[in-house]
Amino acid sequence: MFEIDKKKFGAFLSVLRKEKGFTQKELAQALYISDKAVSKWETGASIPDTSLLIPLSELLGVSVTELLMGERTKENLPPEQVENVVKTALSYPENHPERQKKKFSFCYLLCVLVSLLGLWINYKTDTLIEPFIIFIVLSIVFGAYFFFFVHDRLPDYYDKNRISCVSDGFFRMNVPGVTFNNSNWPHIVRVGQIWCCLSLVLIPLCMALFSRFAFFSAFGYLIPLLMFLGGLFIPMIVVGKKYE
């Protein structure tokens, strides 16, 4: 199915509006909406409601298909392509659910505080090991994504195709042997949430053990690295394959 590029759509809309001599406020008034809505369209934060596509395209002097594609087309498009574009526009809200704040986010914030306290204690006792700080920073970053920014659902085309990678802004996920869909996605997200919380709590403890026992030092950073990565990817592979 055709994928709407919101950034491209917004840039094209801005060009068309200026060509017609409209301000954002004037275009909004013609459509009986707020100028903030037009601003969001042009920045790529959202796209118009399907009920506005026809009047918007008429005001700007382009077809609905050209508007959604973000470019003028010199030749008539095949009917199949036009149909795909229109279907995508009609199903866009369903295919691109908004990010929602996750439950139990307070647990993540509490774990962040515990981890920072652990870092402070390790610093005071001279057991602070700098490479472990990278693990904590990664746990905080990924935890913020899994708890606050991750989508509740994947676009519907993940259910119709075997796709092994999730791309969402700066975030990229590719789990070996797992194809993502809306059956296993909630379980994968939950694994990510649990892993981040456990990592934040356990890494300061591992740091203290690592600095005091020769057994851990003999293996360098291999053991904590394997624990850190394995604790994320192994459970993700298990639940991803189970609910695939």
Side-chain angles (χ1 to χ4, degrees):
M1 184 176 285
F2 172 77
E3 178 76 7
I4 296 176
D5 187 332
K6 290 194 292 185
K7 295 292 185 183
K8 185 177 180 181
F9 172 89
F12 186 54
L13 175 61
S14 178
V15 170
L16 293 175
R17 175 180 61 78
K18 293 173 183 177
E19 286 180 354
K20 292 294 183 179
F22 290 119
T23 64
Q24 288 186 346
K25 186 175 182 179
E26 289 170 342
L27 182 60
Q29 289 174 341
L31 296 169
Y32 302 100
I33 58 173
S34 70
D35 54 337
K36 290 183 179 179
V38 176
S39 177
K40 287 183 178 180
W41 299 344
E42 294 189 357
T43 58
S46 65
I47 66 169
D49 186 84
T50 52
S51 62
L52 295 174
L53 290 176
I54 292 177
L56 179 60
S57 63
E58 289 177 349
L59 283 170
L60 300 177
V62 294
S63 67
V64 172
T65 303
E66 289 175 318
L67 186 62
L68 292 172
M69 293 182 65
E71 60 184 12
R72 287 188 173 90
T73 55
K74 296 180 180 179
E75 301 178 358
N76 292 330
L77 296 174
E80 297 81 5
Q81 188 173 352
V82 174
E83 184 179 0
N84 282 335
V85 174
V86 174
K87 283 182 177 179
T88 299
L90 292 174
S91 62
Y92 195 85
E94 177 184 352
N95 289 345
H96 293 74
E98 294 296 322
R99 294 180 175 90
Q100 296 182 9
K101 189 175 181 179
K102 301 297 163 186
K103 295 179 180 179
F104 310 116
S105 56
F106 67 93
C107 292
Y108 162 73
L109 296 175
L110 179 61
C111 289
V112 171
L113 291 176
V114 170
S115 186
L116 294 177
L117 177 61
L119 280 178
W120 181 79
I121 293 173
N122 279 300
Y123 173 75
K124 288 294 185 180
T125 56
D126 294 324
T127 56
L128 187 67
I129 303 175
E130 291 184 359
F132 280 75
I133 298 176
I134 298 175
F135 295 164
I136 291 177
V137 171
L138 289 175
S139 299
I140 291 175
V141 171
F142 283 110
Y145 174 77
F146 282 120
F147 277 97
F148 296 104
F149 300 105
V150 69
H151 286 293
D152 286 338
R153 284 178 52 83
L154 294 172
D156 288 346
Y157 55 77
Y158 275 86
D159 295 327
K160 300 174 184 177
N161 303 278
R162 295 185 62 82
I163 302 175
S164 58
C165 178
V166 171
S167 177
D168 183 14
F170 76 92
F171 182 78
R172 301 287 188 278
M173 182 187 293
N174 192 334
V175 181
V178 174
T179 56
F180 297 97
N181 54 58
N182 283 302
S183 295
N184 61 16
W185 181 244
H187 303 282
I188 290 172
V189 170
R190 182 53 56 87
V191 166
Q193 292 174 336
I194 295 173
W195 170 81
C196 290
C197 289
L198 288 177
S199 296
L200 287 168
V201 173
L202 295 178
I203 288 173
L205 295 176
C206 291
M207 193 183 302
L209 290 172
F210 191 85
S211 63
R212 295 183 180 182
F213 292 92
F215 170 77
F216 291 103
S217 299
F219 289 91
Y221 299 112
L222 180 62
I223 291 178
L225 180 62
L226 291 176
M227 291 173 60
F228 184 74
L229 296 177
L232 174 63
F233 287 106
I234 292 176
M236 277 191 174
I237 292 172
V238 171
V239 300
K241 297 296 291 184
K242 180 179 179 180
Y243 296 100
E244 193 174 274

